[in-house]
Amino acid sequence: MRRALTVLGVGMSVLGSTVVTAPARAEGVVAVRLSGETAVAKEVANFWLADGAANLRGATPYDVRTSVGAERLDTGVELDGKPVSYPPLAPEEGGASAKTPMTSGKVFFIGSDGLPHWCTGTAVRSNYRNLVATAGHCVLDTEAPDGPLGKWVFVPGYQDGVAPFGVFVGKVASVHHDFDSSRDYDRDVAFAVVHNGVAAPSPGELADTGRLGDSVGGQGLAFNQPLAPIADVFGYPAGPNPDGRWPYTGETLEWSDGPTFGVKVTGLPMDRAVGVASPFTGAGALGSSWLTQYTSGSRTGYLNGITVSAADTDGDGRYDTGVSPYFDAQVLQVFQYGANVWSGTILRPL
């Protein structure tokens, strides 16, 4: 049985000084349940935090749909609606000094092979400061298409096995109907609502670390935009290039930047893909954020793409392009649903 529910309508909420208005009838949006009752969410948190976070440390990069054939195009993209953007959200406190965003982290889950894996995710602004953007196939199990990947959590700021802000258990994710039903990779984007963070100050003990957006802030978002001259890409790439070289370990957040362009993709059903010049491998970097107008001072920008695969467009045996769906009006609807879903702590009845 599929564990997905088509969402027919959602309302309007105030997002700071910005109003995120969901469409009157979001018929293209599907809500995917990630965790059940509070007791189940606690079990998920304990799974990842137990034994000194052994399962976080032992996870391997997700290697599903990590590479495609692609050809760079000289043409741009055709806008299918009015340009829309939402500004970034600052955390309650500034956090440690760094040039990379606090919002980036790893998405952990159990794959269809029964083993722990990771993708990349990023916190984005929402009405309840609880939303994570990643690739759709880092939420839905496309190898066993009967629902979501198991024990789904987000760990912002992950580095070398450390979860500095805690583990955020997924509650529900929004995806586009066309990705859920027919695996249209032009819709391979998900927005996951997470509960408050959880840490384990001592074995067998759980503590609430607060809302995601309060801890790390949230990136802004931009839809129906012309192709950006430069996008900054943040992710946790790992694994080899086509020539066998391993340029990344996946243990630390990596940063690349480059121009964006249209791409013609082979190997995935995508008709409206965009590319960014980036040396990231696909494994581990699936779900990496593409930020426009990024500034290292505030460590914020506007999410305008999500890596769903990587390509070697010049045939030299090394990846040179990240591939993303174009952030159009359909992806906007998926975001608008997720931005209006409440969550809370898992350490008391919700």
Side-chain angles (χ1 to χ4, degrees), residues 8 15 62 69 103 132 138 141 147-148 185 202 214 237 246 256 258-259 282-283 291-292 299 310 315 323 338 342:
L8 297 180
L15 179 62
Y62 201 43
T103 52
V132 178
C138 293
D141 189 349
Y185 280 79
S202 60
D214 294 339
W246 290 69
S256 73
L291 301 181
T292 61
R299 291 181 282 173
V323 176
W342 178 86

Side-chain angles (χ1 to χ4, degrees), residues 38-328:
T38 302
V40 175
K42 287 182 182 179
E43 291 176 2
V44 172
N46 275 315
F47 173 83
W48 294 107
L49 291 170
D51 301 321
N55 285 316
L56 293 181
R57 297 172 186 273
T60 58
Y62 201 43
D63 60 359
V64 174
R65 305 288 188 272
T66 56
S67 64
V68 293
E71 175 188 351
R72 299 191 185 194
L73 303 176
D74 295 329
T75 56
V77 293
E78 182 179 349
L79 307 188
D80 69 348
K82 181 180 178 181
V84 176
S85 64
Y86 301 93
L89 171 74
E92 286 193 338
E93 298 183 3
S97 176
K99 292 184 178 181
T100 54
M102 298 166 60
T103 52
S104 292
K106 284 187 176 182
V107 168
F108 291 91
F109 49 81
I110 302 299
S112 58
D113 57 4
L115 298 174
H117 300 287
W118 89 75
C119 286
T120 296
T122 191
V124 296
R125 76 172 299 156
S126 69
N127 290 328
Y128 299 105
R129 300 185 176 217
N130 61 355
L131 197 61
V132 178
T134 190
H137 72 284
C138 293
V139 170
L140 286 178
D141 189 349
T142 58
E143 293 190 310
D146 60 351
L149 294 155
K151 300 186 187 303
W152 198 98
V153 298
F154 176 60
V155 182
Y158 178 92
Q159 181 167 331
D160 297 320
V162 177
F165 305 101
V167 167
F168 294 78
V169 179
K171 177 182 179 180
V172 64
S174 56
V175 298
H176 197 277
H177 176 270
D178 290 352
F179 185 71
D180 176 60
S181 63
S182 58
R183 299 296 183 252
D184 179 355
Y185 280 79
D186 285 312
R187 303 285 173 253
D188 188 6
V189 180
F191 293 93
V193 175
V194 295
H195 296 288
N196 286 13
V198 176
S202 60
E205 180 183 356
L206 294 179
D208 189 301
T209 64
R211 296 188 301 180
L212 176 63
D214 294 339
S215 297
V216 303
Q219 297 298 338
L221 301 102
F223 303 90
N224 286 320
Q225 307 289 326
L227 293 179
I230 294 289
D232 291 87
V233 184
F234 297 93
Y236 291 84
N241 276 288
D243 63 6
R245 282 182 261 183
W246 290 69
Y248 305 104
T249 66
E251 286 303 306
T252 58
L253 182 67
E254 301 288 348
W255 179 6
S256 73
D257 60 8
T260 64
F261 38 82
V263 291
K264 180 181 180 181
V265 169
T266 56
L268 279 182
M270 295 185 78
D271 298 321
R272 208 167 182 228
V274 293
V276 63
S278 171
F280 285 6
T281 55
L286 299 176
S288 293
S289 58
W290 300 15
L291 301 181
T292 61
Q293 302 180 49
Y294 181 76
T295 59
S296 57
S298 66
R299 291 181 282 173
T300 60
Y302 290 79
L303 185 74
N304 191 228
I306 286 284
T307 298
V308 300
S309 200
D312 171 15
T313 61
D314 60 10
D316 69 351
R318 308 202 74 181
Y319 292 118
D320 54 50
T321 299
V323 176
S324 170
Y326 176 66
F327 270 35
D328 60 9

Side-chain angles (χ1 to χ4, degrees), residues 10-14 20-22 126-128 131 335-342:
V10 290
M12 176 189 296
S13 300
V14 176
V20 173
T21 308
S126 69
N127 290 328
Y128 299 105
L131 197 61
F335 160 70
Q336 287 174 324
Y337 173 76
N340 286 278
V341 177
W342 178 86

